[in-house]
Amino acid sequence: MLTILFVMLAEILIYLPSMARFRISYLEARIELADQAALALLAAPNGMVSAELENELLRNVGGKLVAMRRQESNALILSDRQELPMLGKPVDLSKWMWWEAIVDAVVTLSGNADRYIRVVGPSPRDPQTRIELVLPTAPLAEALRDFSWRIFSLSLLISLVTAGLVYISLQWLLVRPMQRLIGSIVGFRSAPEDARQIIRPSARRDELGLAERELRVMQQDLRHALTQRARLAQLGIAVSKISHDLRNMLASAQLVSDRLAASDDPTVRQVAPRLVSAVDRAIALCAQTLRYGKAEERAPEPEIIALRDFIEDVAAGLGLADDGGICWHNAVPEDLKLPADAEHLYRVLNNLMRNAIQAMPGNGDLRAAAAVSNGEVVIEIADTGSGLSETAKSHLFEPFRGGRNGGSGLGLAIARELVRAHGGELELVRTGPLGTTFRVRLPGIG
């Protein structure tokens, strides 16, 4: 419908000058007929013809009066000898403007023109001779109506054909691909796990082809994410079951560690607190794992921590003090303190330092440093390992994707979540063949 409307509107712009040109052609044809009638009259003996022939010539011209103007004389050639009303300005076919012709054609077609029109034009035989005739406007208006109807019928036919071709083209080039695109979206929404619902992009290079390719990428990524989520859900159920049994086992170990703490042996009493602390943390972690499906990590409960001694305890828990292969350097100032949840901070540093140890399987240097900057406590854990792979860097902090050396990547994901819960940030500073450095930013003492 829009195509038909637009074509008809365009035809109006073509129709108006065409109608004006038709009117001029009509009048020029009458001038030519009048010239031929004048030629026939001049060829007659004594320039006289019978009344019947004169009327026949006038009917052929379609006018009421024919006159001829020459440089030396003016002559009335034909006339029906009827009285004519006052005539307006003549139409001079030797000089006319297109906008005036359009206006005159519209006036004639509407029936508002005078009954008669006076036309002046050059003779086809002799441009110096001018033919003047008086025509009734009714036949001209009828001819314009016939012409307009033909133009309308032809325009309507062109519009219908054009609209049909445009409709078929749009149906083939746009509507069908869009229906296919929408069908893939609806089908994928109903069954995202079904790989058959992923769209197969066409070879188109336009916007629809781009949309098909981007939709395919999005569907593949979403299907991968849903599959990974399902696997994580299954893994979470398994971990919850293991944690439940492990908590019961650790309860027994806790009883034994409590008895060891009461031993009179100095060596045992020195080691026992670390063992008790490790068992308590393990039990708490198992309990949190069982609550994972119901809640997120608990909110931090900050306390003032002496950072140097705290990091030293983390290193001792990892066995760095007894490990001769890795050189441990604690460069944290002795007077540096920060407000943080002790359990959360222990898990963060433990994950980072354990990853650093795993990156140096033979030997190397592990260094911890800290400083206060702009109201924040900045902690850096640096190792001299082989660095992170490109895959690990591109999926850093993503569970089961950002690990190195076959790791799961859970440690970094958990550490970042705990640091952000404190209002801080965990970031990778550098990594490469010379080692890796992670930076922890935590709010300082306000």
Side-chain angles (χ1 to χ4, degrees):
M1 293 300 295
L2 285 175
T3 304
I4 294 174
L5 175 62
F6 293 156
V7 172
M8 295 302 292
L9 289 176
E11 287 292 342
I12 291 176
L13 300 177
I14 301 173
Y15 164 71
L16 291 176
S18 299
M19 181 177 61
R21 183 62 214 177
F22 176 83
R23 176 176 173 273
I24 296 297
S25 299
Y26 179 92
L27 297 178
E28 288 176 344
R30 295 297 176 269
I31 290 289
E32 185 175 356
L33 291 173
D35 182 68
Q36 293 174 359
L39 183 62
L41 185 63
L42 294 175
N46 300 321
M48 300 295 292
V49 295
S50 64
E52 292 80 5
L53 181 57
E54 185 176 3
N55 292 332
E56 181 65 26
L57 291 174
L58 280 174
R59 282 195 299 269
N60 186 45
V61 173
K64 306 293 287 183
L65 180 147
V66 176
M68 180 180 293
R69 295 181 181 179
R70 294 177 177 177
Q71 292 182 352
E72 64 278 3
S73 63
N74 296 331
L76 178 63
I77 304 299
L78 296 171
S79 176
D80 62 356
R81 299 177 178 83
Q82 293 182 5
E83 185 178 357
L84 296 175
M86 183 67 66
L87 300 177
K89 181 180 178 182
V91 177
D92 191 348
L93 297 181
S94 62
K95 47 181 181 180
W96 57 275
M97 307 303 289
W98 63 269
W99 58 85
E100 293 179 351
I102 291 177
V103 172
D104 292 341
V106 172
V107 171
T108 303
L109 181 64
S110 64
N112 296 323
D114 296 334
R115 289 181 58 193
Y116 296 96
I117 180 174
R118 187 156 58 106
V119 183
V120 178
S123 169
R125 294 178 296 103
D126 182 12
Q128 301 300 323
T129 301
R130 296 175 65 83
I131 303 297
E132 181 176 348
L133 70 155
V134 177
L135 297 172
T137 57
L140 176 58
E142 184 65 25
L144 284 174
R145 281 192 289 270
D146 292 340
F147 174 79
S148 300
W149 176 252
R150 292 195 301 271
I151 290 291
F152 174 78
S153 301
L154 182 60
S155 301
L156 185 60
L157 178 62
I158 294 174
S159 301
L160 291 174
V161 173
T162 305
L165 293 176
V166 170
Y167 178 81
I168 294 173
S169 301
L170 291 178
Q171 186 75 15
W172 183 262
L173 296 175
L174 293 178
V175 177
R176 288 186 60 186
M178 284 298 297
Q179 289 175 340
R180 179 170 172 265
L181 199 68
I182 295 171
S184 177
I185 294 173
V186 174
F188 186 81
R189 177 181 178 273
S190 61
E193 72 283 351
D194 189 355
R196 294 174 298 178
Q197 300 296 338
I198 296 179
I199 191 171
R200 295 182 180 179
S202 62
R204 299 176 61 140
R205 297 297 178 185
D206 56 2
E207 289 79 2
L208 276 175
L210 177 61
E212 290 175 349
R213 291 188 291 274
E214 292 299 323
L215 176 62
R216 178 180 178 85
V217 173
M218 184 187 70
Q219 288 175 334
Q220 289 176 335
D221 291 345
L222 184 57
R223 182 172 179 270
H224 176 77
L226 292 175
T227 303
Q228 186 181 35
R229 177 174 294 182
R231 291 177 180 174
L232 288 175
Q234 296 173 358
L235 179 62
I237 294 174
V239 170
S240 298
K241 294 178 181 179
I242 295 172
S243 296
H244 181 272
D245 295 337
L246 182 60
R247 184 182 61 174
N248 295 334
M249 298 176 189
L250 290 175
S252 301
Q254 187 178 33
L255 294 176
V256 175
S257 62
D258 290 340
R259 292 183 181 180
L260 288 176
S263 175
D264 294 333
D265 189 332
T267 304
V268 173
R269 296 186 64 179
Q270 182 179 1
V271 177
R274 295 179 181 174
L275 177 61
V276 171
S277 178
V279 171
D280 289 342
R281 282 193 293 270
I283 293 174
L285 182 60
C286 290
Q288 289 180 9
T289 303
L290 291 175
R291 296 194 302 268
Y292 180 76
K294 300 179 181 179
E296 298 178 349
E297 292 281 356
R298 66 171 178 82
E301 299 176 1
E303 58 182 277
I304 302 301
I305 297 176
L307 187 56
R308 180 181 177 85
D309 295 339
F310 189 84
I311 290 182
E312 198 64 42
D313 290 340
V314 177
L318 293 172
L320 288 175
D322 303 326
D323 190 346
I326 296 178
C327 296
W328 162 242
H329 304 281
N330 188 350
V332 178
E334 294 185 358
D335 59 343
L336 182 57
K337 298 181 180 181
L338 80 160
D341 187 296
E343 179 188 343
H344 286 185
L345 184 60
Y346 188 96
R347 291 170 63 186
V348 171
L349 297 176
N350 183 276
N351 281 322
L352 294 177
M353 295 169 66
R354 186 183 298 278
N355 288 345
I357 294 171
Q358 292 174 352
M360 301 179 292
N363 52 45
D365 293 338
L366 177 59
R367 184 176 186 274
V372 178
S373 175
N374 297 326
E376 292 182 327
V377 176
V378 181
I379 307 171
E380 290 190 353
I381 306 297
D383 63 59
T384 57
S386 57
L388 296 171
S389 65
E390 291 298 326
T391 302
K393 285 192 294 183
S394 60
H395 299 287
L396 203 61
F397 306 118
E398 295 183 24
F400 302 102
R401 301 189 71 183
R404 63 179 175 182
N405 299 329
S408 64
L410 276 173
L412 287 177
I414 294 173
R416 190 184 204 187
E417 181 182 355
L418 294 175
V419 170
R420 286 184 169 181
H422 283 75
E425 186 57 74
L426 172 61
E427 56 191 6
L428 175 65
V429 178
R430 65 175 181 87
T431 185
L434 299 180
T436 301
T437 301
F438 279 93
R439 179 178 296 154
V440 180
R441 296 182 178 272
L442 293 171
I445 299 177

